[in-house]
């Protein structure tokens, strides 16, 4: 193997043999495990918190809505809040991944492919842990078909991946102008109340409804509700717009993942 | 174009750092460019052991990081043939929540240790570091010295085609330092190609045969290590408060060598005497002073030819610096 370093790239050339592939696998596994360790460290329940967290948060909102007598639907809240948490964590992870220049390794350069594969695996497992309990509850307590429960988990995976990609695309801008981190943080907080996270779109009217027709998260949340058989406006939404939004997100994910190597390389001399 | 036997080929390499600084409260800041390396050119053949020497801030670490693929050049190219391991500090990426053993077991395969060898590798690190039951405790609770031992034990057991070392010494107590040095020498003898930077001139002279001297981001000398060290010493002459080699009386008898420093010169505790074999071009002895007024060593520790160079070094800011000009003894014997 030969390492070619220039202004534009740091490229490992030559055909990787089986031992190189083994090392890459071990690195991916190390990075993923280390990310989860960081998220669960010193906690007695460890990974279980990741499974319980969306459920507990949903229960809190359910309680708040019950107190203000807004006649909430528990399944709708469970789905909306969980989907929003997946959306938020995926976007933020994508925005932050450019800082993870070497996956925590300090004695050897790790290829971007390894770092990004580890990021994607971590995202997939994280989204799975965030959604699996909710899917089980929907099936056992709310009569959702097991197949639809599985589709809900897969839908969250797709949405998580697309918003992770969007985060990767905007990460260099956010890193160059740190003030944007505050703006994104406020937008996400506002988005939680404006988007159909705590309540379905059927409760929205006028301009509030119209804005959400251009909100890609709204389509995923409403589709999840539709699959679970609770109030949803998904059949009334424009499928053409949904397809266009998916294409834009898909394209941005593609651009983000293609450019990440160059961005990561450029970042090494920034401070 | 890379020569077939080249391990590292560096052509017109320049590296710039970009810093964003903010001079007002309400400001987007401005970009400042620092030229850390300027047009560096050299080639390292496979099997060569080369040292980079230079003052602090001369660009040594930047060059090594760039060769390890951790920094982007502003211009120029580097081609490296083979796997590179970069030792800088003694933390290869340990997780504070894992025990010493767990850290070694998890990191080893990621650094290329084969599955079937992990157990043996872990035991070897445990044995070398002498951490005892602390090896089974969380890394978080380790002292600085223990962390250094574990890190050094781990990285010095790794093998690669090219080893790049940026000042990875000095962990642990005196006994461990001796062990580390022996281990490092063994490691270096097994590594095909080595590029290292250190302020320990005695160390680089004993390990490397070629030296590159850097100053203000430029490569100003490339040649045999002894000449490189002289070049560096001439370069730093203005910045060092040299002392004359301070003996008042000296003798080399049939049994021993003796220096009497007398009352005028006070050897302080962080000084050591260095003896260099001028014929074999290698260091014989680096002894920290125990008696602060005189120094003795056995005649049998010195080479037959007695053509040796003596100088005093001082330990400052975690490194040994030359503190005295050297004196050269030849075959003089007195009593």
């Amino acid at each position: 193997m030969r390492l070619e370093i220039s202004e534009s790239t740091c490229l490992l050339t030559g055909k990787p043999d089986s031992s190189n592939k083994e090392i890459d696998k071990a690195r991916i596994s190390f990075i993923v495990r280390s990310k989860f360790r960081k998220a669960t460290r010193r906690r007695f329940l460890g990974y279980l918190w990741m499974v319980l967290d969306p459920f507990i948060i949903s229960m809190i909102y359910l309680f708040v809505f019950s107190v203000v007598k807004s006649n909430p639907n528990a399944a709708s809240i469970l789905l909306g809040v969980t989907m929003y948490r997946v959306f938020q964590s995926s976007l933020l992870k994508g925005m932050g991944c450019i800082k993870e220049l070497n996956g925590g390794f300090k004695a050897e350069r790790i290829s971007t492919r390894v770092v990004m594969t580890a990021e994607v695996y971590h995202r997939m497992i994280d989204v799975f842990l965030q959604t699996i309990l909710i899917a089980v509850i929907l099936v056992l307590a709310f009569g959702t078909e097991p197949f639809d429960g599985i589709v809900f988990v897969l839908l969250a995976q797709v949405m998580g991946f697309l918003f992770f990609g969007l985060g990767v695309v905007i990460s260099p801008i956010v890193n160059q102008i740190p003030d944007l981190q505050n703006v994104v943080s406020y937008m996400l907080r506002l988005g939680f109340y404006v988007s159909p996270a705590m309540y379905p779109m059927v409760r929205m009217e006028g301009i509030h409804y119209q804005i959400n027709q251009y909100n890609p998260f709204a389509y995923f949340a409403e589709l999840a509700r539709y699959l679970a058989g609770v109030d949803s406006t998904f059949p009334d939404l424009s499928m053409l717009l949904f397809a266009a939004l998916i294409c834009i997100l898909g394209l941005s994910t593609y651009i983000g993942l293609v450019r990440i190597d160059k961005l990561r390389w450029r970042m090494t001399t920034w401070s | 174009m890379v020569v077939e036997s080249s391990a590292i080929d560096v052509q017109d390499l320049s590296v710039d750092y970009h810093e964003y600084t903010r001079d007002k409260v309400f400001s987007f800041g401005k970009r400042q460019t620092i030229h850390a390396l300027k047009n560096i050119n050299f080639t390292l053949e496979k099997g060569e052991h080369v040292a980079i020497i230079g003052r602090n801030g001369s660009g040594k670490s930047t060059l090594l990081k760039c060769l390890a693929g951790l920094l982007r050049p502003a211009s120029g190219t580097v081609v490296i043939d083979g796997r590179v391991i970069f030792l800088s500090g003694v933390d290869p990426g340990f997780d504070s929540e894992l025990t010493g053993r767990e850290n070694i077991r998890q990191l080893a395969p990621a650094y290329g240790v084969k599955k079937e060898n992990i157990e043996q590798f872990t035991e070897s690190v445990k044995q070398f570091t002498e951490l005892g039951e602390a090896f089974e405790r969380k890394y978080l609770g380790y002292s600085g010295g223990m962390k250094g031992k574990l890190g050094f034990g781990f990285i010095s057991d790794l093998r690669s085609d090219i080893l790049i070392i940026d000042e990875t010494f000095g962990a642990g107590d005196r006994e461990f330092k001796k062990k580390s040095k022996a281990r490092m020498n063994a490691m270096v003898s097994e590594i095909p190609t080595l590029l290292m930077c250190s302020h320990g001139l005695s160390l680089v002279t004993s390990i490397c045969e070629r030296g590159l001297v850097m100053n203000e981001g430029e490569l100003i000398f490339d040649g045999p290590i002894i000449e490189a060290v002289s070049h560096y010493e001439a370069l730093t002459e203005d910045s060092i408060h040299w002392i004359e080699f301070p003996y008042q009386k000296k003798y080399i008898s049939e049994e021993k060598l003796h220096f009497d420093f007398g009352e005028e010169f006070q050897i302080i505790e962080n000084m050591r005497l260095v003896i260099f074999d001028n014929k074999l071009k290698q260091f014989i002895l680096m002894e920290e002073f125990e008696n602060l007024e005189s120094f003795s060593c056995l005649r049998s520790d010195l080479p037959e030819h007695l053509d040796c160079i003596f100088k005093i070094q001082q330990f400052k800011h975690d490194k040994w610096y030359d503190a005295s000009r050297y004196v050269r003894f030849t075959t003089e014997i007195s009593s």
Side-chain angles (χ1 to χ4, degrees):
Chain A
M1 299 290 279
R2 178 175 280 206
L3 188 64
E4 294 180 4
I5 301 168
S6 68
E7 184 193 359
S8 55
T9 186
C10 180
L11 194 66
L12 202 56
T13 58
K15 205 177 171 197
D17 57 22
S18 58
S19 74
N20 291 117
K21 287 178 184 165
E22 281 298 310
I23 294 172
D24 280 354
K25 267 189 204 167
R27 284 174 178 167
I28 292 168
S29 154
F30 180 83
I31 296 171
V32 173
R33 277 195 266 179
S34 131
K35 279 176 182 292
F36 279 115
R37 265 199 307 274
K38 272 180 196 155
T40 59
R41 63 184 41 185
R42 291 188 179 198
R43 292 175 178 91
F44 178 72
L45 294 180
Y47 292 98
L48 200 54
W49 278 119
M50 302 183 83
V51 178
L52 288 173
D53 194 55
F55 175 72
I56 293 169
I57 298 290
S58 304
M59 287 302 107
I60 292 169
Y61 283 115
L62 184 63
F63 171 74
V64 172
F65 275 88
S66 304
V67 168
V68 297
K69 293 191 171 51
S70 104
N71 193 21
N73 181 311
S76 182
I77 286 187
L78 275 174
L79 283 162
V81 169
T82 305
M83 289 297 271
Y84 197 82
R85 289 179 71 79
V86 168
F87 154 71
Q88 182 172 317
S89 62
S90 301
L91 187 73
L92 291 175
K93 289 282 176 192
M95 280 165 57
C97 79
I98 201 164
K99 289 178 188 164
E100 294 277 327
L101 289 172
N102 217 29
F105 288 88
K106 292 175 184 168
E108 196 172 357
R109 182 187 154 82
I110 309 295
S111 72
T112 305
R113 192 183 57 76
V114 166
V115 176
M116 288 315 289
T117 308
E119 286 284 354
V120 171
Y121 281 174
H122 171 249
R123 208 75 299 278
M124 284 167 64
I125 299 168
D126 189 28
V127 171
F128 177 77
L129 291 174
Q130 285 192 52
T131 51
I132 187 66
L133 180 65
I134 305 300
V136 170
I137 291 171
L138 287 171
V139 171
L140 296 180
F142 296 95
T144 303
E145 290 294 320
F147 176 75
D148 291 335
I150 295 168
V151 173
F152 160 67
V153 174
L154 293 176
L155 186 67
Q157 290 285 358
V158 172
M159 185 186 71
F161 183 69
L162 292 174
F163 282 106
F164 173 77
L166 182 67
V168 172
V169 171
I170 59 174
S171 63
I173 312 164
V174 175
N175 269 286
Q176 263 183 319
I177 310 170
D179 304 61
L180 285 179
Q181 283 172 12
N182 297 48
V183 176
V184 171
S185 163
Y186 294 133
M187 294 294 285
L188 285 171
R189 198 166 293 183
L190 177 70
F192 183 68
Y193 299 102
V194 174
S195 299
M198 287 192 297
Y199 46 86
M201 273 182 86
V202 286
R203 295 201 179 191
M204 295 178 187
E205 289 171 352
I207 194 161
H208 188 188
Y209 183 88
Q210 281 168 15
I211 287 172
N212 273 291
Q213 280 185 314
Y214 299 96
N215 174 4
F217 167 75
Y219 287 83
F220 286 104
E222 288 299 291
L223 178 56
R225 289 191 173 103
Y226 178 70
L227 291 169
V230 293
D231 276 353
S232 168
T233 54
F234 186 74
D236 304 329
L237 293 171
S238 161
M239 287 305 110
L240 199 64
L241 201 55
F242 185 35
L245 289 169
I246 292 281
C247 285
I248 292 167
L249 280 175
L251 191 66
S252 74
T253 302
Y254 174 76
I255 293 169
L257 295 178
V258 167
R259 285 183 61 208
I260 189 75
D261 187 52
K262 279 191 176 170
L263 294 174
R264 178 190 176 214
W265 191 224
R266 216 167 67 190
M267 286 279 291
T268 57
T269 49
W270 288 4
S271 60
Chain B
M1 197 60 198
V2 189
V3 185
E4 200 51 44
S5 61
S6 292
I8 299 176
D9 184 53
V10 180
Q11 298 291 332
D12 298 322
L13 180 71
S14 297
V15 173
D16 294 343
Y17 288 109
H18 306 287
E19 271 184 10
Y20 284 88
T21 50
R22 191 187 286 249
D23 48 0
K24 293 174 196 159
V25 177
F26 297 106
S27 160
F28 283 115
K30 54 185 174 189
R31 195 171 86 160
Q32 199 185 350
T33 301
I34 298 138
H35 305 292
L37 292 181
K38 297 161 201 161
N39 294 319
I40 307 285
N41 286 286
F42 68 90
T43 302
L44 223 77
E45 304 304 324
K46 282 179 182 162
E48 269 195 300
H49 290 177
V50 177
I52 302 176
I53 47 183
R55 285 194 264 197
N56 287 334
S58 59
K60 305 184 296 291
S61 295
T62 299
L63 176 59
L64 295 186
K65 272 187 193 169
C66 190
L67 299 184
L70 301 176
L71 277 183
R72 172 198 180 218
S75 62
T77 57
V78 177
V79 178
I80 295 176
D81 194 2
R83 184 173 169 219
V84 180
I85 287 207
F86 175 55
L87 309 186
S88 173
V90 284
D91 178 9
F94 291 138
D95 188 320
S96 56
E97 285 299 311
L98 297 180
T99 64
R101 179 183 293 278
E102 287 167 343
N103 264 308
I104 302 298
R105 287 182 59 89
Q106 294 214 6
L107 263 182
Y111 275 107
V113 178
K114 292 204 165 107
K115 262 184 196 166
E116 57 270 25
N117 298 336
I118 290 175
E119 217 38 64
Q120 189 192 346
F121 181 87
T122 311
E123 284 309 313
S124 152
V125 174
K126 184 186 177 186
Q127 217 165 26
F128 176 76
T129 55
E130 294 171 353
L131 285 172
E133 54 86 30
F135 196 63
E136 316 299 336
R137 288 206 320 253
K138 273 190 183 179
Y139 183 75
L140 186 69
Y142 280 18
S143 67
M146 287 157 83
K147 283 178 182 173
K149 281 182 176 183
L150 188 71
F152 185 82
F154 179 81
I155 54 188
S156 60
D157 238 0
L158 298 173
R159 292 295 174 266
S160 64
D161 303 317
I162 299 163
L163 179 65
I164 295 180
I165 304 175
D166 186 4
E167 298 272 10
T168 309
F169 302 97
D173 46 33
R174 185 187 279 207
E175 273 308 299
F176 190 77
K177 276 180 192 163
K178 272 189 188 170
K179 253 176 92 173
S180 301
K181 223 167 259 181
R183 172 90 156 224
M184 186 51 85
N185 284 333
M187 183 188 185
V188 163
S189 66
E190 286 174 33
I191 291 286
T193 309
L194 170 81
L195 185 62
M196 69 181 295
C197 89
S198 171
H199 285 281
L201 297 182
S202 53
L203 182 82
V204 296
T205 322
S206 63
I207 290 177
C208 304
E209 62 268 15
R210 181 177 152 200
L212 311 176
V213 183
M214 297 207 50
N215 190 37
E216 294 179 357
E218 291 179 53
L219 182 61
I220 57 165
F221 179 85
D222 180 354
I225 187 70
I226 298 294
E227 286 177 37
V229 169
S230 305
H231 206 91
Y232 170 64
E233 284 184 335
L235 188 76
T236 55
E237 199 148 81
D238 296 340
S239 64
I240 292 176
H241 298 290
W242 296 98
I243 49 173
E244 292 303 321
F245 196 81
Y247 64 87
Q248 282 187 337
K249 281 188 270 173
K250 68 171 191 300
Y251 65 83
I252 303 175
S253 69
E254 293 297 337
E255 292 86 29
K256 67 176 182 180
L257 160 93
H258 181 85
F259 291 117
D260 188 354
F261 297 119
E263 289 169 3
E264 285 171 22
F265 183 76
Q266 276 291 308
I267 293 288
I268 50 177
E269 280 176 350
N270 57 353
M271 283 185 164
R272 70 179 181 184
L273 182 77
V274 172
I275 307 175
F276 184 74
D277 184 326
N278 209 31
K279 280 207 168 139
L280 291 179
K281 303 292 181 200
Q282 66 183 27
F283 282 85
I284 304 166
L285 193 73
M286 281 164 276
E287 187 83 30
E288 281 183 54
F289 293 109
E290 287 172 8
N291 181 336
L292 302 183
E293 286 165 5
S294 63
F295 172 82
S296 295
C297 78
L298 292 175
R299 169 70 181 76
S300 56
D301 286 340
L302 300 173
E304 273 300 310
H305 56 73
L306 278 180
D307 185 0
C308 296
I309 282 172
F310 295 78
K311 63 182 169 185
I312 287 171
Q313 291 187 325
Q314 190 172 13
F315 194 71
K316 282 192 293 190
H317 314 301
D318 296 332
K319 283 164 199 149
W320 286 101
Y321 290 93
D322 287 343
S324 77
R325 292 180 189 283
Y326 64 81
V327 290
R328 186 173 170 190
F329 280 20
T330 50
T331 51
E332 176 186 358
I333 294 182
S334 57
S335 58

